[in-house]
Amino acid sequence: MLNLNSPDSNTYSNSNSLSDPVSLNVGGEIYTTTLDTLTRYQDSMLGAMFTGQISTLRDKQGNVFVDRDGKVFRYILNFLRSSSLDLPEGFSEMRLLRREADFFQIRPLLDEIRRRVEAGPLSLRDAPRGAMLLLDVDCQVRVLHYNLRRAPENYELRTCSVRILTAEIFCTWRAFLVLLCERFSYRNTQGPTFPLPSDQRHNRLKLEWVPRPDELPQDQYEKQQYRGLVVSDSWATQTHSGDLCDVIIPRRSPCEVKDMRGFVEELLTVSLAEGFRVDSVTPDPMDILNCRTLQLVR
């Protein structure tokens, strides 16, 4: 507790009277550090406080009092010591840390936080709580008849089965739909094209593709204007818990999604990494990769 009444409390103290080590009371949390650490960035709020540009306030025990949140201040101190933002696994206070770094005006720390947020998954950003994701999938098998050219005047009638795969996605978190559009792309003769979510009002995304059967020649596949679906990492995939990514996995090469089971697996990989959890599976909850309908919530 602050003692503002006692003339002996030295409530206001110029930083020139400070000597190492310096003891701080930040929102009730006590930290001990050095003047060199606190003044590493002299254009910051801490730099101004501990170079005498701003008067400091002390508590009854003589600790320099800083009326800010003390939970994340340790990470600010660590950054000042090492210029490295070392956060524990499961760290879930990125938004608070960014707010505190902004208050103290530590520009290099703000830049590092911004870099992590922009490079990392959506869960590091200002993600909404209570988001819902619905997936309906369908597979229709059709018989395709085509002529296979054997010679200039020799054609052979062939047939094969093609699977038309459709995935209809609804999500109340539109940014997640945009992420899916970055993750999945169509492959056709014109090169990769990216799907687009529907209008702002409905928050829907429909994907439709036809994997090429082995027996169907590439030219016949292209003649039918079929297109495949490709999945690739839109960032360097990272495993994480909560809001901190801690293990970086190398970026994968784009690969074709050849069946609906593979698509559901990829969708689950992305959605679970962004904080969703499975709420219901139809028809068999024990066979999630072969579902027809999947609901996730965040």
Side-chain angles (χ1 to χ4, degrees):
M1 177 180 293
L2 295 178
N3 183 351
L4 301 179
N5 298 317
S6 172
D8 299 325
S9 63
N10 193 23
T11 300
Y12 291 96
S13 170
N14 189 283
S15 62
N16 291 332
S17 64
L18 293 171
S19 60
D20 289 333
V22 181
S23 183
L24 296 89
N25 177 345
V26 185
E29 300 281 344
I30 305 299
Y31 297 95
T32 300
T33 186
T34 67
L35 282 175
D36 284 343
T37 296
L38 293 169
T39 59
R40 180 165 189 176
Y41 300 105
Q42 296 195 9
D43 58 345
S44 69
M45 180 74 73
L46 287 173
M49 290 174 62
F50 292 95
T51 56
Q53 301 174 55
I54 300 177
S55 297
T56 54
L57 187 66
R58 291 180 180 270
D59 63 13
K60 282 185 176 181
Q61 287 71 41
N63 305 309
V64 176
F65 182 77
V66 183
D67 189 17
R68 298 300 299 178
D69 194 295
K71 292 186 298 182
V72 299
F73 190 74
R74 70 187 66 222
Y75 308 116
I76 294 176
L77 275 184
N78 286 338
F79 181 84
L80 294 177
R81 292 189 189 105
S82 64
S83 295
S84 176
L85 183 57
D86 297 319
L87 300 174
E89 181 178 353
F91 183 74
S92 60
E93 300 289 348
M94 186 65 80
R95 190 181 305 179
L96 175 60
L97 179 59
R98 181 168 51 188
R99 187 183 70 192
E100 294 302 293
D102 183 63
F103 171 81
F104 289 116
Q105 289 296 293
I106 305 172
R107 293 301 176 186
L109 176 56
L110 284 169
D111 291 342
E112 175 63 16
I113 293 173
R114 188 177 301 110
R115 186 192 65 79
R116 289 203 182 194
V117 169
E118 292 176 352
L122 290 175
S123 55
L124 282 178
R125 310 175 196 180
D126 294 330
R129 296 293 175 181
M132 181 175 65
L133 172 66
L134 294 176
L135 169 68
D136 289 313
V137 298
D138 184 47
C139 177
Q140 295 184 8
V141 179
R142 296 179 183 174
V143 177
L144 174 66
H145 302 276
Y146 63 95
N147 290 317
L148 181 63
R149 187 177 183 180
R150 291 296 187 181
E153 301 297 332
N154 183 6
Y155 289 87
E156 179 182 334
L157 181 62
R158 292 282 188 95
T159 62
C160 72
S161 297
V162 296
R163 292 169 297 131
I164 301 176
L165 306 179
T166 304
E168 296 196 46
I169 304 168
F170 167 79
C171 186
T172 57
W173 184 14
R174 189 172 178 84
F176 183 75
L177 291 181
V178 175
L179 173 63
L180 292 181
C181 292
E182 297 172 354
R183 185 90 170 204
F184 294 98
S185 61
Y186 292 118
R187 175 179 290 171
N188 51 35
T189 55
Q190 288 75 38
T193 58
F194 292 91
L196 296 173
S198 64
D199 59 74
Q200 294 279 350
R201 182 176 179 182
H202 294 100
N203 283 8
R204 296 181 183 274
L205 174 64
K206 182 176 181 179
L207 302 173
E208 186 174 83
W209 71 103
V210 179
R212 184 176 70 85
D214 292 337
E215 62 271 26
L216 181 63
Q218 182 66 36
D219 61 337
Q220 291 294 326
Y221 179 80
E222 295 173 359
K223 183 178 179 180
Q224 299 298 323
Q225 297 185 340
Y226 292 145
R227 56 186 181 179
L229 188 69
V230 175
V231 62
S232 60
D233 293 334
S234 57
W235 62 81
T237 305
Q238 302 176 5
T239 63
H240 67 93
S241 172
D243 282 353
L244 173 67
C245 300
D246 59 307
V247 180
I248 299 179
I249 302 173
R251 187 188 298 268
R252 298 178 302 172
S253 299
C255 59
E256 184 179 1
V257 181
K258 296 185 177 181
D259 52 34
M260 193 56 73
R261 182 184 179 92
F263 174 79
V264 174
E265 182 178 347
E266 292 293 343
L267 181 71
L268 286 171
T269 299
V270 181
S271 58
L272 295 179
E274 298 303 336
F276 284 94
R277 61 178 177 82
V278 177
D279 186 52
S280 65
V281 180
T282 303
D284 184 2
M286 302 301 293
D287 191 15
I288 189 171
L289 295 181
N290 290 314
C291 69
R292 289 199 305 269
T293 302
L294 181 63
Q295 178 173 306
L296 300 97
V297 294
R298 189 179 189 281

